[in-house]
Amino acid sequence: VGLRSIQRANKILDRNKNVVLAAGLVTPEEATDEKIRELFEQRIETALINLETGEEVSAEDVSFDVDKYDPRLAAKDPDLSVKISSEADTAGIKRREKYAYVYKISDESGQLSQIVLPIYGKGLWSTLYGFLALQSDANTVAGITFYEHGETPGLGGEVENEQWQSQWIEKTVYDDQGEVELAVIKGQVDPSAPDAAYKVDGLSGATITSNGVTGMIEFWLGPNGFGPYLDG
């Protein structure tokens, strides 16, 4: 019990570290505790979002303690989550929390430059947890990171590979009709293909993990995830 506050602080610091890594604000070597705290104080605003409406909410708008809110635990609480239909559940998570955090990053002049979104979904052996950073147009990828999973090392575990993650940068999320088109394909992307801007190379020998990443992107950037917020 006495260590609970320290454990929570460490958990938040680890989460914040992965936010700044997804946004490309620092390299892993530069991501010291001090640097992470500095970035969150100066350039990053954390906002709680009602996923159904896409609106930001304050402590007065909800019945729970915002300071102690944990979206992962909320997804298991019938009062704080919703069941997802099998047709819509491309992430394979069955239930989705009603409220989620987003991280708004400002540039040196104070203008919004990126939005970082938490994403998660089923791979082959585990649930993968990560962050996807979008540029201020809410349609261009600025970066991605996965910080927790149980996928096979050297295969699905390559979601942690920085070289693979770098392929996501500058990719486009939505097509002209506003549908999520961003996906991981089987094999390598042909740069000359007309849809190359929406595609990322598949993970060699890890088709199910690759499909899982595609499914979570489709879900979390669609109408049942952060779509209403990004449309706002």
Side-chain angles (χ1 to χ4, degrees), residues 40-90:
F40 265 78
E41 288 175 3
Q42 299 177 358
R43 296 181 55 188
I44 302 175
E45 176 189 352
T46 303
L48 187 63
I49 302 301
N50 181 323
L51 289 169
E52 182 179 0
T53 66
E55 297 176 349
E56 294 186 20
V57 297
S58 65
E60 292 74 25
D61 298 321
V62 295
S63 59
F64 53 84
D65 185 343
V66 172
D67 292 332
K68 296 181 180 179
Y69 180 68
D70 184 333
R72 195 182 298 195
L73 294 178
K76 301 176 183 178
D77 186 334
D79 293 329
L80 293 175
S81 64
V82 294
K83 185 176 181 180
I84 308 165
S85 69
S86 58
E87 295 80 12
D89 190 15
T90 57

Side-chain angles (χ1 to χ4, degrees), residues 86-106:
S86 58
E87 295 80 12
D89 190 15
T90 57
I93 57 178
K94 297 182 180 179
R95 299 191 70 87
R96 188 260 298 153
E97 63 271 24
K98 293 180 180 179
Y99 301 92
Y101 289 113
V102 299
Y103 305 88
K104 298 187 288 185
I105 299 176
S106 300

Side-chain angles (χ1 to χ4, degrees), residues 117-182:
L117 310 172
I119 56 173
Y120 64 93
K122 293 293 184 181
L124 174 59
W125 304 113
S126 67
T127 300
L128 297 89
Y129 293 89
F131 288 100
L132 179 73
L134 300 178
Q135 294 181 17
S136 57
D137 65 359
N139 192 35
T140 306
V141 177
I144 193 170
T145 184
F146 288 95
Y147 61 90
E148 182 180 334
H149 66 84
E151 300 302 281
T152 307
L155 298 174
E158 288 297 289
V159 291
E160 294 183 13
N161 186 303
E162 292 180 26
Q163 184 175 356
W164 182 74
Q165 292 177 0
S166 69
Q167 295 181 41
W168 291 75
I169 299 173
E170 299 293 335
K171 293 295 183 178
T172 304
V173 177
Y174 301 101
D175 63 18
D176 293 340
Q177 287 71 47
E179 299 295 325
V180 178
E181 189 70 16
L182 180 61

